[in-house]
């Protein structure tokens, strides 16, 4: 090795040695031998190689770190949470892309930008407090206002304090910002739903898959009477009423497992033992494998609805006054019995019942008394029912009774006779005793009809036959009776036409003053000249008019026609004295009777003192106080009041003396056989004596012989009426008769 080479080597060695603390010093190297130098060079060469290898590892590590840093940067930017570093003043030192997106600004604008710019008011104070605390970890929910958004963001801010190792270094904060707006909305929604669940009027019960109750709301407690503590952990059997079968519950659970829901009406039991109806809806909550996890039951107490439903059913199928089945329900049961009878070739009976003179009581005593009477009648009828019988109110005062298995006329009429006996006892109405009868019609299946409508119609026809026979009796349907009723229907229709077209007539029967031997007045009598059947007797069409309700209209027609005829006679210079007209019981009981008669007289100009109104005892006695009031009103107008057919009714003499009347008319049945019949003679004498004591005048009807006239005159009877004096005559013949000898004129009679 030459000197130049040695110098170069020494320079190298010095340079290397300067960097190796643990290597020999330069002075030591210069004293080395060549062999030693070679060895040293070898060691240095090896060390150089090791250094290069370490540098390569370092470069690899730096590359890995750079890759990790890039990956972290990507993750940092792409993280769903907004990250940034802040100094103690809240200035953003670094931030990721998510925070930029949340706050709506680029990174360039956010860097060195105060985070507090996005926070207002009290929440800004909270942020400053967090940044200036010594704690390392803090968390708080703040509202961030972001430009362009209608609603502020709800951010959950988490701060982690980072302190550098160098003493005196300023601490920075790593901030994590999470948008919890949706969580806040969901929380609010859950809170609202929870509040609604707690405040709803419907009971809520939730059970787990083991059927243990895990939640109930206050409405559950209020409805069932079981407290939350009593219910939790129990099963729904706590509410079981015992009214449902196992099949009912099996069907319920089948629907829940199959469809996930069930709804319907169920009866449950309250804590106090009361059974009540509820409308229940159950929904199943399934897990991911569609296994039932929870069952949510929502129910409402429908006791009131159930009561309303029963009430509506009662109104739809039962009479409101008597609580008997109504026409609708009766028709349904009748149709069922018809089907049964057809299958079994059996029979049954139908009774149609109508109260006699019910309208008189209803109109005079008031509807409340009439309703009470209907109720008492229904109770008596129900007392005779067998288990399968049905009695119904068809409306008004009509009742129907269905008697299954009663297929003979004799058996049916026995039931009808029993009903008459039931009605014979007096009814207590407002502390007073009233007698009322009933008329009954009987029809039978299959003899009298094969359908319900026909059977009811035929029973109705038979009932009207009972009315014609004098009421308070029963009649069975027959085809001959049907023919008679058909004729009556036609006759009623003709009567309506006659009234509508003014085809009725008035005849007048004069009344003779027995003491003076002169005419006293006339009684207006209704006549009906039928275009096909000739003159129809009053006994044939007056009852028909009463049954049909035409009698009231006819009564006012008679009054107007009689008033007009009186004025015509007066215009002719003819004085017929007192003109009498008859009021039917139906007309007398009309509440507007006085108000109707008054205007007729005042408008016509007829003196009220020239008019007499005749009513029967049967019309006056049922409602005595009403009769007194009405008669007093009529008499105050100047109208005379006569009691017609006296002696044939059920008058009470103690009541009679209080009636404001002027005259009694003795019925012709007591006059026919006097003076030969001693019983009739005694009756007439008693009536005359009573009338004298009460200062009442007396008219004797049906006087046909001179002997009758003489007897009546001797006994003090004032007025006679009958064929001995004159028959009923048209108004023209009355003009001729009274023209020869007017009222007060003498004659032979």
């Amino acid at each position: 090795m030459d000197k130049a080479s040695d110098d170069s080597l020494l320079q190298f060695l010095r340079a290397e040695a300067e960097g190796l603390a643990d290597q020999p010093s330069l002075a030591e190297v210069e004293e080395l031998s060549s062999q030693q130098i070679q060895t040293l060079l070898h060691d240095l060469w090896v060390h150089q190689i090791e250094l290069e290898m370490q540098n390569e590892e370092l470069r690899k590590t730096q590359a890995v770190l750079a890759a990790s840093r890039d990956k972290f940067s990507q993750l940092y930017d792409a993280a769903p949470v907004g990250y940034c570093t802040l100094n103690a003043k809240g200035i953003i030192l670094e931030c990721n892309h998510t925070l930029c997106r949340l706050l709506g600004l680029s990174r360039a604008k956010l860097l060195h930008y105060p985070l507090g710019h996005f926070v207002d008011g009290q929440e800004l104070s909270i942020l400053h407090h967090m940044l200036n605390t010594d704690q390392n970890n803090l968390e708080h929910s703040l509202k961030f206002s972001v430009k362009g958004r209608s609603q502020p963001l709800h951010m959950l801010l988490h701060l982690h304090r980072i302190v550098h190792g160098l003493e005196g270094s300023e601490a920075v904060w790593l901030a994590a910002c999470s948008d919890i707006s949706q969580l806040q909305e969901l929380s609010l929604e859950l809170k609202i739903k929870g509040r609604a669940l707690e405040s709803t009027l419907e009971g809520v019960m939730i059970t787990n898959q083991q059927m243990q109750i895990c939640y109930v709301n206050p409405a559950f407690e209020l409805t069932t009477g079981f407290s939350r503590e009593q219910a939790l952990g129990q099963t729904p059997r706590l509410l079981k009423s015992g009214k449902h079968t196992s099949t009912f519950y099996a069907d319920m659970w089948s629907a829940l497992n199959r469809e996930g829901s069930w709804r319907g009406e169920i009866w449950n039991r309250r804590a106090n033992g009361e059974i009540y109806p509820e409308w229940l809806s159950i929904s199943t909550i399934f897990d991911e494998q569609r296994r039932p996890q929870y069952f949510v039951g929502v129910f409402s107490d429908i006791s009131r609805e159930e009561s309303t439903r029963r009430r509506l059913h009662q109104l739809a199928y039962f009479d409101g006054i008597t609580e008997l089945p109504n026409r609708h329900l009766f028709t349904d049961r009748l149709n069922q019995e018809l089907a049964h009878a057809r299958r079994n070739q059996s029979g049954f009976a139908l009774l149609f019942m109508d109260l006699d003179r019910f309208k008189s009581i209803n109109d005079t005593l008031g509807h409340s008394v009439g309703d009470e009477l209907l109720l008492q009648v229904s109770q008596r009828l129900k007392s005779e029912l067998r288990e399968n019988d049905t009695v119904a109110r068809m409306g008004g005062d009509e009742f129907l009774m269905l008697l299954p298995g009663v297929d003979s006329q004799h058996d049916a009429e026995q039931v009808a006779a029993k009903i008459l006996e039931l009605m014979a006892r007096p009814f207590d109405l407002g502390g007073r005793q009233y007698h009322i009868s009933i008329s009954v019609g009987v029809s039978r299946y299959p003899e009298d009809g094969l359908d319900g409508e026909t059977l009811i119609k035929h029973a109705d026809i038979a009932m009207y036959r009972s009315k014609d026979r004098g009421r308070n009796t029963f009649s069975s349907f027959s085809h001959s009776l049907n023919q008679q009723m058909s004729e009556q229907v036609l006759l009623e229709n003709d009567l309506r036409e006659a009234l509508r077209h003014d085809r009725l007539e008035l005849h007048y029967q004069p009344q003779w003053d027995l003491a003076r031997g002169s005419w006293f007045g006339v009684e207006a009598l209704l006549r009906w000249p039928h275009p096909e059947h000739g003159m129809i007797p009053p006994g044939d069409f007056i009852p028909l008019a009463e049954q049909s309700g035409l009698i009231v209209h006819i009564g006012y027609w008679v009054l107007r026609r009689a008033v007009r005829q009186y004025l015509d006679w007066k215009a002719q210079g003819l004085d017929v004295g007192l003109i009498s007209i008859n009021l039917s019981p139906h007309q007398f009981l009309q509440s507007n009777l006085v108000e109707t008669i008054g205007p007729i007289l005042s408008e016509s100009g007829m003196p009220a003192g020239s008019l007499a109104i005749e009513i029967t005892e049967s019309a006056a006695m049922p409602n005595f106080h009403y009769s007194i009031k009405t008669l007093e009103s009529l008499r105050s107008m100047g109208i005379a009041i006569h009691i017609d057919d006296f002696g044939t009714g059920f008058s009470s003499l103690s009541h009679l003396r209080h009636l404001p009347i002027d005259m009694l008319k003795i019925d012709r049945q007591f006059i026919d056989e006097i003076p030969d019949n001693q019983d009739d003679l005694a009756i007439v004498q008693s009536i005359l004596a009573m009338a004298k004591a009460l200062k009442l005048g007396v008219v004797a009807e049906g006087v046909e012989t001179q002997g009758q006239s003489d007897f009546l005159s001797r006994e003090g009877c004032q007025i006679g009426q009958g064929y001995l004096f004159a028959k009923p005559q048209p108004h023209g013949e009355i003009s001729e008769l009274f023209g020869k000898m007017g009222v007060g004129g003498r004659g032979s009679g």
Side-chain angles (χ1 to χ4, degrees):
M1 178 178 300
D2 53 20
K3 181 66 173 174
S5 299
D6 290 341
D7 292 340
S8 298
L9 177 61
L10 288 174
Q11 292 175 1
F12 171 77
L13 291 175
R14 287 191 187 98
E16 291 295 325
E18 289 175 358
L20 299 173
D22 56 349
Q23 296 298 325
S25 65
L26 183 60
E28 289 175 337
V29 172
E30 291 177 347
E31 294 177 358
L32 294 177
S33 65
S34 177
Q35 182 63 35
Q36 290 175 325
I37 291 173
Q38 289 292 333
T39 301
L40 181 59
L41 288 172
H42 179 268
D43 291 341
L44 291 172
W45 182 255
V46 171
H47 182 67
Q48 179 70 27
I49 292 173
E50 289 177 352
L51 287 175
E52 290 180 359
M53 290 177 65
Q54 290 177 359
N55 288 334
E56 182 65 24
E57 288 295 325
L58 180 60
R59 284 193 297 272
K60 288 181 180 179
T61 300
Q62 289 175 340
V64 170
L65 288 174
S68 297
R69 185 173 60 250
D70 292 341
K71 186 175 182 179
F72 172 78
S73 179
Q74 292 175 0
L75 292 174
Y76 179 75
D77 271 340
V81 177
Y83 288 109
C84 66
T85 54
L86 305 171
N87 62 18
K89 295 180 179 180
I91 303 299
I92 299 174
L93 305 176
E94 186 57 71
C95 65
N96 69 348
H97 177 71
T98 302
L99 185 66
C100 296
R101 179 177 54 80
L102 289 174
L103 299 182
L105 294 175
S106 66
R107 180 175 299 182
K109 291 185 177 181
L110 277 180
L111 292 178
H112 309 296
Y113 198 82
L115 184 64
H117 176 79
F118 300 96
V119 183
D120 295 324
Q122 182 180 356
E123 297 192 340
L124 180 59
S125 300
I126 295 174
L127 176 61
H128 287 158
H129 176 73
M130 293 172 68
L131 293 171
N132 290 279
T133 185
D134 291 335
Q135 298 182 32
N136 289 331
N137 288 284
L138 297 170
E139 186 176 275
H140 210 283
S141 174
L142 299 177
K143 282 186 181 180
F144 283 70
S145 298
V146 180
K147 186 177 181 180
R149 288 180 178 267
S150 58
Q151 296 293 333
L153 293 175
H154 286 269
M155 302 281 260
L156 181 63
L157 179 65
H158 179 83
L159 295 179
H160 177 69
R161 194 165 183 266
I162 302 174
V163 181
H164 292 296
L166 297 177
E167 184 177 353
S169 298
E170 183 182 2
V172 297
W173 293 88
L174 176 63
C177 300
S178 301
D179 182 4
I180 59 170
S181 299
Q182 291 185 344
L183 291 177
Q184 291 278 14
E185 292 175 1
L186 180 60
S187 175
L188 178 60
E189 182 180 353
L190 291 175
K191 184 177 181 180
I192 292 173
K193 289 181 177 179
R195 181 65 59 85
L197 202 62
E198 291 291 306
S199 60
T200 181
L201 297 179
E202 294 183 311
V204 179
M205 176 180 67
I206 301 177
T207 62
N208 58 23
Q209 56 186 347
Q210 287 78 37
M211 295 311 299
Q212 294 174 318
I213 300 173
C214 54
Y215 172 81
V216 296
N217 70 341
F220 172 95
E221 299 178 278
L222 183 64
T223 301
T224 67
F226 289 101
S227 67
R228 189 187 304 266
E229 292 73 18
Q230 290 174 310
L232 294 181
Q234 299 292 326
T235 69
R237 287 192 296 271
L238 178 73
L239 307 174
K240 190 173 182 179
S241 66
K243 292 193 69 171
H244 300 289
T245 64
S246 57
T247 303
F248 174 86
Y249 293 106
D251 292 341
M252 174 194 294
W253 286 112
S254 176
L256 283 171
N257 293 323
R258 183 179 65 255
E259 302 170 8
S261 64
W262 179 91
R263 64 181 54 192
E265 185 176 314
I266 189 171
W267 290 82
N268 272 339
R269 180 178 62 86
R270 305 190 206 273
N272 62 6
E274 178 189 352
I275 306 298
Y276 71 99
E278 67 180 33
W279 182 258
L280 173 63
S281 176
I282 306 177
S283 298
T284 307
I285 298 177
F286 297 97
D287 61 13
E288 293 78 0
Q289 287 74 40
R290 197 168 170 73
R291 293 174 299 190
Q293 192 171 15
Y294 293 98
F295 300 95
V296 179
V298 180
F299 62 89
S300 56
D301 185 348
I302 58 171
S303 301
R304 182 174 298 177
E305 289 83 349
E306 181 69 18
S307 175
T308 301
R309 186 168 60 186
R310 288 196 299 268
R311 178 59 179 161
L312 290 175
H313 180 272
Q314 184 77 12
L315 292 174
Y317 294 100
F318 292 86
D319 175 58
I321 296 175
T322 64
E323 297 185 354
L324 294 177
N326 60 12
R327 181 185 295 272
H328 184 79
L329 181 56
F330 183 85
T331 301
D332 182 64
R333 292 185 181 178
L334 176 57
N335 290 333
Q336 292 181 28
E337 184 57 31
L338 280 167
H340 177 269
R342 288 168 188 148
R343 287 194 305 268
N344 297 277
Q345 296 183 345
S346 58
F348 62 87
L350 199 65
L351 272 57
F352 198 115
M353 299 161 283
D354 186 273
L355 299 180
D356 298 328
R357 298 187 178 92
F358 171 75
K359 191 175 186 303
S360 300
I361 290 180
N362 204 41
D363 289 346
T364 57
L365 299 183
H367 293 290
S368 60
V369 176
D371 291 348
E372 175 61 25
L373 175 60
L374 291 173
L375 179 60
Q376 292 187 29
V377 168
S378 69
Q379 291 170 345
R380 292 190 188 184
L381 292 175
K382 284 192 293 187
S383 68
E384 287 302 306
L385 293 181
R386 301 170 302 168
E387 183 178 356
N388 295 328
D389 296 341
T390 298
V391 62
R393 181 185 177 216
M394 305 303 284
D397 58 344
E398 295 178 342
F399 297 85
L400 271 174
M401 184 176 288
L402 176 64
L403 303 173
V406 178
D407 54 2
S408 73
Q409 181 173 333
H410 176 265
D411 292 343
E413 290 181 346
Q414 275 192 322
V415 177
K418 181 64 176 177
I419 290 172
L420 296 180
E421 292 179 13
L422 288 173
M423 298 301 133
R425 302 196 310 269
F427 291 89
D428 188 340
L429 302 175
R432 291 173 175 263
Q433 301 291 309
Y434 291 88
H435 290 270
I436 190 166
S437 59
I438 194 168
S439 296
V440 184
V442 180
S443 66
R444 295 177 297 126
Y445 174 86
E447 289 84 354
D448 301 327
L450 299 177
D451 61 83
E453 183 178 354
T454 301
L455 288 167
I456 293 175
K457 181 182 72 173
H458 287 172
D460 190 17
I461 290 173
M463 185 274 294
Y464 273 108
R465 175 59 176 168
S466 299
K467 295 281 189 184
D468 291 341
R469 291 170 59 189
R471 301 181 174 87
N472 194 31
T473 187
F474 62 83
S475 301
S476 292
F477 175 80
S478 67
H479 291 286
S480 60
L481 177 60
N482 188 34
Q483 178 63 31
Q484 294 175 15
M485 294 305 296
S486 298
E487 292 174 357
Q488 282 194 340
V489 170
L490 294 175
L491 194 63
E492 178 185 332
N493 186 65
D494 290 346
L495 181 57
R496 291 181 184 275
E497 289 297 309
L499 180 60
R500 183 179 299 113
H501 297 290
D502 203 24
R503 294 172 184 164
L504 299 176
E505 295 181 357
L506 285 184
H507 286 193
Y508 302 88
Q509 186 171 26
Q511 296 171 332
W512 186 255
D513 189 326
L514 296 174
R516 296 184 178 183
S518 60
W519 298 119
F520 172 78
V522 296
E523 179 182 2
L525 301 171
L526 186 62
R527 295 293 183 263
W528 179 18
H530 194 281
E532 297 178 10
H533 305 298
M535 193 66 75
I536 305 295
D540 289 348
F541 72 85
I542 293 298
L544 187 62
E546 291 176 343
Q547 294 170 12
S548 64
L550 287 174
I551 192 65
V552 175
H553 301 287
I554 291 175
Y556 288 126
W557 180 90
V558 169
L559 175 61
R560 291 187 178 91
R561 180 56 60 88
V563 168
R564 191 174 72 186
Q565 186 58 58
Y566 175 87
L567 295 174
D568 287 345
W569 282 327
K570 186 176 181 180
Q572 299 171 22
L574 187 65
D575 182 9
V576 296
L578 194 67
I579 185 168
S580 303
I581 63 169
N582 293 277
L583 292 186
S584 72
H586 289 85
Q587 188 176 9
F588 178 68
L589 294 173
Q590 294 296 305
S591 59
N592 62 343
L593 176 68
V594 176
E595 289 78 6
T596 303
I597 292 179
I600 291 176
L601 294 178
S602 60
E603 291 171 8
S604 66
M606 178 181 176
S610 298
L611 177 66
I613 285 180
E614 298 184 4
I615 61 170
T616 61
E617 294 174 87
S618 59
M621 292 305 164
N623 190 346
F624 189 67
H625 295 287
Y626 170 83
S627 297
I628 291 177
K629 182 179 179 181
T630 302
L631 295 177
E632 285 179 344
S633 297
L634 293 173
R635 284 192 82 197
S636 67
M637 297 165 57
I639 299 173
I641 306 298
H642 297 177
I643 296 295
D644 196 14
D645 300 334
F646 186 77
T648 61
F650 301 94
S651 60
S652 167
L653 296 182
S654 62
H655 285 170
L656 182 65
R657 64 190 180 90
H658 294 293
L659 287 176
I661 57 178
D662 301 287
M663 192 169 290
L664 302 178
K665 295 188 71 175
I666 304 175
D667 189 71
R668 65 179 306 138
Q669 65 176 299
F670 302 114
I671 304 298
D672 283 345
E673 297 184 16
I674 62 169
D676 300 325
N677 187 307
Q678 296 301 309
D679 292 334
D680 289 344
L681 199 68
I683 290 173
V684 172
Q685 287 175 329
S686 298
I687 293 174
L688 290 170
M690 180 193 66
K692 183 178 181 181
L694 296 175
K695 296 180 174 58
L696 299 176
V698 178
V699 178
E701 295 183 300
V703 180
E704 297 185 355
T705 68
Q706 191 61 45
Q708 294 169 344
S709 176
D710 294 341
F711 169 78
L712 292 169
S713 182
R714 287 196 306 270
E715 294 296 326
C717 180
Q718 292 90 355
I719 310 298
Q721 181 178 341
Y723 281 16
L724 175 64
F725 310 110
K727 296 180 180 180
Q729 302 171 40
H731 64 87
E733 296 182 20
I734 292 294
S735 299
E736 184 178 350
L737 180 63
F738 275 67
K740 294 179 180 179
M741 185 181 61
V743 175
R746 304 292 299 176
S748 63

